[in-house]
Amino acid sequence: MRVHPRSHRGVRALTPSVALGREGDAVVAVSLDEGAVRERVADAADGRGLAAWVSQREARDRPRWVWSDTASWYPRLLEHGVRVERCDDLRLRHRILHHAVTSDAPAHPWDAAPLDAEPAAAPALFEVAPRADESALDDLAATVAEWRAQQELGARAIDPGRMRLLLAAESAGALVAAEMRAAGIPWDARRHDELLTAALGARRAGGLPVRMDEAAAQVREALGDPRASLDSPPKLLRALRSVGVFVDSTSKWELRQHDHPVVAPLLEYKRMARLLAANGWGWLDEWVHEGRFRPVYIPGGVVTGRWASSGGGALQIPRSLREAVRADPGWRIVSADVAQLEPRVLAAMARDERMARAAAGADLYEGVVASGAVSTRAEAKSAVLGAMYGATQGDAGRLVPRLRKVFPDAMELVDAAARTGEDGGVVRTWLGRTSPAPEEAWRQLQSEASGAEASAALVAGARRTARDRGRFTRNFIVQGSAAEWSLAWLADLRLRLTALGAVSEGEAAAASGPAFARRPHLAFFLHDEVLVHTPEAYAEDVATAIRAAADSAGRLLFGEFPIDFPLDVHIERSAAK
């Protein structure tokens, strides 16, 4: 695979790298390409002075900025309308390199979570490391030393070219995340209120919204208990069992297995309760100000490389509220999402030409049907997702073996990743991000189960945890590689939007801040979807840029392999679906 450090339309391939850091109360820069050429930039607290110096150097040299953490440095520049083209985010790069090249390395301050991230209590796929002392990482000497150490580690990667591309994409993603937070998602608070009122009923001080209260009353009537607690799962389960609805949980799937008058109003109540808790009026008051929702994005917050968020729930905006995402007057929302991104990435990784032919066009699942592997689109979707997530039971488990006959290369890739995981090994994404090694408790269980005196229960438990890990590694390579494609898409699109320039006439999107008030900019990203907020005059150009960036990302990662990444692109006043 060819790797181009700077391949975007005529940009010089070689540019200087400039490290920013602190020395005492001052911000100091050092040229990493010309020896220890130091320059005092500004007082550490002088954001305007820092922005002015960076702006001048960016215009003159267009360097690669090397800093400890984009989330710490870049917002200070954006606040004054200054953007940079590229950077090395050492914190993000460190975590990738040290897991990929020195997997047994002890914990280090550079492994810290980003600014604003909170320690996670979730399982492995969503784990974020604890924060470290930011001031220690901002020290200029520490920054330069870490950058040099990373240069050496990158050269030791299994494929240094792919690793360089991954590190550049991850750092570009950090710039995008900071810019999206600065610009915010254009949000119509009045429309949000109208949607909530329509869904939940009128808001009432000190009580439930009207429709939600009515649903609660219907549930209690069906339970024959006017005081039944609907928000305590243990109490609700006891109440359900008392009327003959024997369930182990209150999940939608379990409740729908029962024909009882309580089921329909209870499901409706639970739906409304989720909306009220996650994105109700309390959320609106806390997160939407001056026409913008500014969530906290965490690039690389998931071990596969997917993004996470630590504030506002940006990655879980319900479709019912998407209409509240509304462009400013004279502006438009250009939305785009990729059809079946992960299966397409799997076909390209495996070089499975038959699966690539099935993916040609808008709907990969219809292509799977046409291949003869299954009979219906629903079966195709179940089989493909089952292959990527390791399904062994139900319809998916029954259908997955058919894919092995029709798409043997793609299936062998994920099957091999699963075997590696079951054996305690690590797997890598297309560009080289490494899956976490199993914990010592897992290894101990596997060791004990292999002993001659191991009980049947111990052996069964070890096999179950091995299969669980195999399902994780099977999905890791696909989800992680799809995240890499998305980062390449974002990075290329960001440059194309910048190249469009700014409008000189028409209404400015003042709430988007000085860096974006007159130019098209990324406003939202979710795995395989982007929203761009753009002056109306640029809307068609933005749509073209989105498609071109997707094509470029496919070629950058997978060369000339014939795989399509079709987009569903819309230009609207809102992001409604």
Coordinates of all heavy atoms in Angstrom, one line a residue, residues 45-97:
A45 N -0.8 32.0 29.5 CA -2.1 32.4 29.7 C -2.6 33.3 28.6 O -3.8 33.6 28.6 CB -2.3 33.1 31.1
D46 N -1.8 33.6 27.7 CA -2.1 34.6 26.6 C -2.6 33.9 25.4 O -1.8 33.6 24.4 CB -0.9 35.5 26.3 CG -1.2 36.6 25.3 OD1 -2.4 36.7 24.9 OD2 -0.3 37.2 24.8
G47 N -3.8 33.5 25.4 CA -4.4 32.8 24.2 C -4.3 33.6 22.9 O -4.0 33.0 21.8
R48 N -4.5 34.9 23.0 CA -4.5 35.7 21.8 C -3.1 35.7 21.2 O -2.9 35.6 20.0 CB -5.0 37.1 22.1 CG -5.1 38.0 20.8 CD -5.7 39.3 21.2 NE -7.1 39.2 21.8 CZ -8.2 39.1 21.0 NH1 -8.1 39.1 19.7 NH2 -9.3 39.0 21.6
G49 N -2.1 35.9 22.1 CA -0.7 35.9 21.6 C -0.3 34.6 21.0 O 0.4 34.6 19.9
L50 N -0.7 33.5 21.6 CA -0.4 32.2 21.0 C -1.1 32.0 19.6 O -0.4 31.6 18.7 CB -0.9 31.1 21.9 CG -0.9 29.6 21.4 CD1 0.6 29.2 21.2 CD2 -1.5 28.7 22.4
A51 N -2.3 32.4 19.5 CA -3.1 32.3 18.3 C -2.4 33.1 17.2 O -2.3 32.7 16.0 CB -4.5 32.7 18.5
A52 N -2.0 34.3 17.5 CA -1.4 35.2 16.5 C -0.1 34.6 16.0 O 0.1 34.6 14.8 CB -1.1 36.6 17.1
W53 N 0.7 34.1 16.9 CA 2.0 33.5 16.4 C 1.8 32.2 15.6 O 2.4 32.1 14.5 CB 2.8 33.1 17.6 CG 4.2 32.6 17.3 CD1 5.3 33.4 17.0 CD2 4.6 31.2 17.0 NE1 6.4 32.6 16.7 CE2 6.0 31.3 16.7 CE3 3.9 30.0 17.1 CZ2 6.7 30.1 16.4 CZ3 4.6 28.9 16.8 CH2 6.0 28.9 16.5
V54 N 0.8 31.4 16.0 CA 0.5 30.1 15.2 C 0.0 30.5 13.9 O 0.3 29.9 12.8 CB -0.4 29.2 16.0 CG1 -1.0 28.1 15.1 CG2 0.2 28.6 17.2
S55 N -0.9 31.5 13.8 CA -1.5 32.0 12.6 C -0.4 32.4 11.6 O -0.4 32.0 10.4 CB -2.5 33.1 12.8 OG -3.0 33.5 11.6
Q56 N 0.5 33.2 12.1 CA 1.6 33.6 11.2 C 2.5 32.5 10.7 O 2.8 32.4 9.5 CB 2.5 34.6 11.9 CG 1.8 35.9 12.3 CD 2.6 36.8 13.2 OE1 3.8 36.4 13.6 NE2 2.1 37.9 13.6
R57 N 2.8 31.6 11.6 CA 3.7 30.4 11.2 C 2.9 29.5 10.2 O 3.5 28.9 9.3 CB 4.1 29.7 12.4 CG 5.2 28.6 12.2 CD 6.5 29.3 11.7 NE 7.5 28.3 11.3 CZ 8.4 27.7 12.1 NH1 8.5 28.1 13.4 NH2 9.2 26.8 11.6
E58 N 1.6 29.3 10.5 CA 0.8 28.4 9.6 C 0.7 29.0 8.2 O 0.9 28.2 7.2 CB -0.6 28.3 10.2 CG -1.6 27.5 9.4 CD -1.4 26.0 9.6 OE1 -0.7 25.5 10.5 OE2 -1.9 25.2 8.7
A59 N 0.5 30.3 8.1 CA 0.5 30.9 6.8 C 1.8 30.8 6.0 O 1.9 30.7 4.8 CB 0.0 32.4 6.9
R60 N 2.9 31.0 6.8 CA 4.2 31.0 6.2 C 4.7 29.6 5.8 O 5.2 29.4 4.7 CB 5.2 31.7 7.1 CG 6.6 32.0 6.5 CD 7.5 32.6 7.5 NE 8.0 31.5 8.5 CZ 8.5 31.8 9.7 NH1 8.7 33.1 10.1 NH2 9.0 30.8 10.4
D61 N 4.6 28.7 6.7 CA 5.3 27.4 6.5 C 4.4 26.2 6.4 O 4.8 25.1 6.0 CB 6.3 27.1 7.7 CG 7.4 28.2 7.7 OD1 7.8 28.6 6.7 OD2 7.8 28.5 8.9
R62 N 3.1 26.3 6.9 CA 2.2 25.2 7.0 C 2.8 24.0 7.6 O 2.9 22.9 7.0 CB 1.7 24.9 5.6 CG 0.9 26.0 4.9 CD 0.7 25.8 3.5 NE -0.4 24.9 3.2 CZ -0.7 24.5 2.0 NH1 -0.1 25.0 0.9 NH2 -1.7 23.7 1.8
P63 N 3.3 24.1 8.8 CA 4.0 23.0 9.5 C 3.1 21.9 10.0 O 1.9 22.1 10.1 CB 4.8 23.7 10.6 CG 3.8 24.8 11.0 CD 3.2 25.3 9.7
R64 N 3.7 20.8 10.4 CA 2.9 19.9 11.2 C 3.2 20.2 12.7 O 4.3 20.2 13.1 CB 3.4 18.4 10.9 CG 2.7 17.4 11.8 CD 3.3 16.0 11.6 NE 3.1 15.5 10.2 CZ 1.9 15.0 9.8 NH1 0.9 14.8 10.6 NH2 1.8 14.6 8.5
W65 N 2.1 20.6 13.4 CA 2.3 21.0 14.8 C 2.3 19.7 15.6 O 1.5 18.8 15.5 CB 1.1 21.8 15.2 CG 1.0 23.1 14.4 CD1 0.3 23.3 13.3 CD2 1.8 24.3 14.6 NE1 0.5 24.6 12.8 CE2 1.4 25.2 13.6 CE3 2.7 24.7 15.6 CZ2 2.0 26.5 13.5 CZ3 3.3 25.9 15.5 CH2 2.9 26.8 14.5
V66 N 3.3 19.7 16.5 CA 3.5 18.6 17.4 C 3.2 19.1 18.8 O 3.8 20.0 19.3 CB 4.9 18.0 17.4 CG1 5.1 16.9 18.4 CG2 5.3 17.6 15.9
W67 N 2.2 18.5 19.4 CA 1.8 18.9 20.8 C 1.3 17.7 21.6 O 1.0 16.6 21.1 CB 0.8 20.0 20.8 CG -0.5 19.8 19.9 CD1 -1.2 18.7 19.7 CD2 -1.1 20.8 19.1 NE1 -2.2 18.9 18.8 CE2 -2.2 20.2 18.4 CE3 -0.8 22.2 18.8 CZ2 -3.0 20.9 17.6 CZ3 -1.6 22.9 18.0 CH2 -2.7 22.3 17.3
S68 N 1.2 17.9 22.9 CA 0.8 16.8 23.8 C -0.6 16.3 23.5 O -0.8 15.1 23.5 CB 1.0 17.3 25.2 OG 0.1 18.4 25.5
D69 N -1.5 17.2 23.3 CA -2.9 16.8 23.3 C -3.7 17.9 22.6 O -3.8 19.0 23.0 CB -3.4 16.7 24.7 CG -4.9 16.2 24.9 OD1 -5.4 15.7 23.8 OD2 -5.4 16.3 25.9
T70 N -4.3 17.5 21.5 CA -5.1 18.4 20.7 C -6.2 19.1 21.5 O -6.5 20.3 21.4 CB -5.7 17.7 19.4 OG1 -4.6 17.2 18.7 CG2 -6.5 18.7 18.6
A71 N -6.9 18.3 22.3 CA -8.0 18.8 23.1 C -7.5 19.8 24.1 O -8.3 20.6 24.6 CB -8.7 17.6 23.9
S72 N -6.2 19.9 24.4 CA -5.7 20.9 25.3 C -5.3 22.2 24.6 O -5.5 23.3 25.1 CB -4.5 20.4 26.1 OG -4.8 19.3 26.9
W73 N -4.7 22.0 23.4 CA -4.1 23.1 22.7 C -5.0 23.8 21.7 O -5.0 25.0 21.6 CB -2.8 22.7 22.0 CG -1.6 22.4 22.9 CD1 -1.3 21.2 23.5 CD2 -0.7 23.4 23.4 NE1 -0.2 21.4 24.3 CE2 0.2 22.7 24.2 CE3 -0.5 24.7 23.2 CZ2 1.3 23.3 24.9 CZ3 0.6 25.4 23.8 CH2 1.4 24.6 24.7
Y74 N -5.7 23.0 20.9 CA -6.4 23.5 19.7 C -7.5 24.5 20.1 O -7.7 25.5 19.4 CB -6.8 22.4 18.8 CG -7.1 22.8 17.4 CD1 -6.5 23.8 16.8 CD2 -8.0 22.0 16.7 CE1 -6.8 24.2 15.5 CE2 -8.3 22.3 15.3 CZ -7.7 23.4 14.8 OH -8.0 23.8 13.5
P75 N -8.4 24.2 21.1 CA -9.5 25.1 21.4 C -9.0 26.5 21.6 O -9.7 27.5 21.3 CB -10.1 24.5 22.6 CG -9.8 23.0 22.5 CD -8.4 22.9 21.9
R76 N -7.8 26.7 22.2 CA -7.3 28.0 22.4 C -7.1 28.8 21.1 O -7.2 30.0 21.1 CB -5.9 28.0 23.2 CG -6.0 27.3 24.6 CD -4.7 27.5 25.3 NE -4.1 26.2 25.6 CZ -2.9 26.1 26.1 NH1 -2.2 27.1 26.3 NH2 -2.4 24.9 26.4
L77 N -6.7 28.1 20.1 CA -6.5 28.7 18.8 C -7.9 29.0 18.1 O -8.1 30.0 17.5 CB -5.7 27.8 17.9 CG -4.3 27.4 18.5 CD1 -3.6 26.5 17.5 CD2 -3.5 28.6 18.8
L78 N -8.8 28.0 18.1 CA -10.1 28.1 17.5 C -10.9 29.3 18.1 O -11.6 30.0 17.4 CB -10.9 26.8 17.6 CG -10.3 25.6 16.8 CD1 -11.0 24.4 17.2 CD2 -10.4 25.9 15.3
E79 N -10.7 29.5 19.4 CA -11.4 30.6 20.0 C -11.1 31.9 19.4 O -11.9 32.9 19.4 CB -11.0 30.6 21.5 CG -11.7 31.7 22.3 CD -11.3 31.7 23.8 OE1 -10.5 30.8 24.2 OE2 -11.7 32.6 24.5
H80 N -9.9 32.0 18.8 CA -9.5 33.3 18.1 C -9.5 33.2 16.6 O -8.9 34.0 15.9 CB -8.1 33.7 18.6 CG -8.0 34.0 20.1 ND1 -8.5 35.1 20.7 CD2 -7.6 33.2 21.1 CE1 -8.3 35.1 22.0 NE2 -7.8 33.9 22.3
G81 N -10.2 32.2 16.1 CA -10.4 32.0 14.7 C -9.2 31.4 13.9 O -9.2 31.5 12.7
V82 N -8.3 30.8 14.6 CA -7.1 30.2 14.0 C -7.2 28.7 13.9 O -7.5 28.0 14.9 CB -5.8 30.6 14.8 CG1 -4.6 29.9 14.2 CG2 -5.6 32.1 14.8
R83 N -7.1 28.2 12.6 CA -7.1 26.8 12.4 C -5.7 26.3 11.9 O -4.9 27.1 11.3 CB -8.1 26.4 11.3 CG -9.5 26.8 11.7 CD -10.5 26.5 10.6 NE -10.6 25.1 10.3 CZ -10.7 24.6 9.1 NH1 -10.8 25.3 8.0 NH2 -10.8 23.3 9.0
V84 N -5.4 25.1 12.1 CA -4.2 24.5 11.6 C -4.5 23.3 10.6 O -5.6 22.7 10.8 CB -3.2 24.0 12.7 CG1 -2.9 25.1 13.7 CG2 -3.8 22.8 13.5
E85 N -3.6 23.1 9.7 CA -3.9 22.1 8.7 C -3.6 20.7 9.2 O -4.4 19.7 8.9 CB -3.0 22.3 7.5 CG -3.3 21.4 6.3 CD -2.6 21.7 5.1 OE1 -2.4 22.9 4.8 OE2 -2.3 20.8 4.3
R86 N -2.6 20.5 10.0 CA -2.3 19.1 10.5 C -1.5 19.2 11.8 O -0.9 20.2 12.1 CB -1.5 18.3 9.4 CG -0.2 18.9 9.1 CD 0.5 18.2 8.0 NE 1.9 18.6 7.8 CZ 2.8 17.8 7.3 NH1 2.6 16.6 7.0 NH2 4.1 18.3 7.2
C87 N -1.5 18.0 12.5 CA -0.7 18.0 13.7 C -0.3 16.5 14.0 O -0.8 15.6 13.4 CB -1.6 18.5 14.9 SG -2.9 17.3 15.4
D88 N 0.5 16.4 15.0 CA 0.8 15.1 15.6 C 0.3 15.2 17.1 O 0.8 15.9 17.9 CB 2.3 14.8 15.7 CG 2.8 14.3 14.4 OD1 2.0 13.9 13.5 OD2 4.1 14.2 14.2
D89 N -0.8 14.4 17.4 CA -1.3 14.4 18.7 C -0.6 13.3 19.4 O -0.9 12.1 19.2 CB -2.8 14.1 18.7 CG -3.5 14.2 20.0 OD1 -3.0 13.5 21.0 OD2 -4.5 14.9 20.2
L90 N 0.4 13.6 20.3 CA 1.3 12.6 20.9 C 0.5 11.7 21.8 O 0.9 10.5 21.9 CB 2.4 13.3 21.6 CG 3.3 14.2 20.7 CD1 4.4 14.8 21.6 CD2 3.9 13.3 19.6
R91 N -0.5 12.2 22.5 CA -1.2 11.3 23.4 C -1.9 10.2 22.7 O -1.8 9.0 23.0 CB -2.2 12.1 24.3 CG -3.0 11.2 25.3 CD -4.1 12.0 25.9 NE -5.0 12.6 24.9 CZ -5.9 12.0 24.2 NH1 -6.1 10.7 24.5 NH2 -6.6 12.6 23.3
L92 N -2.6 10.5 21.6 CA -3.3 9.5 20.8 C -2.3 8.6 20.1 O -2.5 7.4 20.1 CB -4.2 10.2 19.8 CG -5.5 10.9 20.3 CD1 -6.2 11.6 19.1 CD2 -6.4 9.9 20.9
R93 N -1.3 9.1 19.6 CA -0.2 8.3 18.9 C 0.4 7.4 19.9 O 0.7 6.2 19.5 CB 0.8 9.2 18.3 CG 0.3 10.0 17.1 CD 1.3 11.2 16.7 NE 2.7 10.7 16.6 CZ 3.3 10.4 15.5 NH1 2.6 10.5 14.3 NH2 4.6 10.0 15.5
H94 N 0.7 7.8 21.1 CA 1.4 7.0 22.1 C 0.6 5.7 22.4 O 1.2 4.6 22.4 CB 1.6 7.8 23.4 CG 2.2 7.0 24.5 ND1 3.6 7.0 24.8 CD2 1.7 6.1 25.4 CE1 3.8 6.2 25.8 NE2 2.7 5.6 26.2
R95 N -0.7 5.9 22.6 CA -1.5 4.7 22.9 C -1.5 3.7 21.8 O -1.4 2.5 22.0 CB -2.9 5.1 23.3 CG -3.0 6.0 24.5 CD -4.4 6.5 24.8 NE -5.2 5.4 25.3 CZ -6.5 5.4 25.5 NH1 -7.1 6.5 25.2 NH2 -7.1 4.4 25.9
I96 N -1.6 4.2 20.6 CA -1.5 3.2 19.4 C -0.2 2.5 19.3 O -0.1 1.3 19.2 CB -1.9 4.0 18.1 CG1 -3.3 4.5 18.1 CG2 -1.6 3.1 16.9 CD1 -3.6 5.4 17.0
L97 N 0.9 3.3 19.3 CA 2.2 2.8 19.2 C 2.6 1.8 20.3 O 3.2 0.7 20.0 CB 3.2 3.9 19.1 CG 3.3 4.6 17.7 CD1 4.1 5.9 17.9 CD2 4.0 3.7 16.7

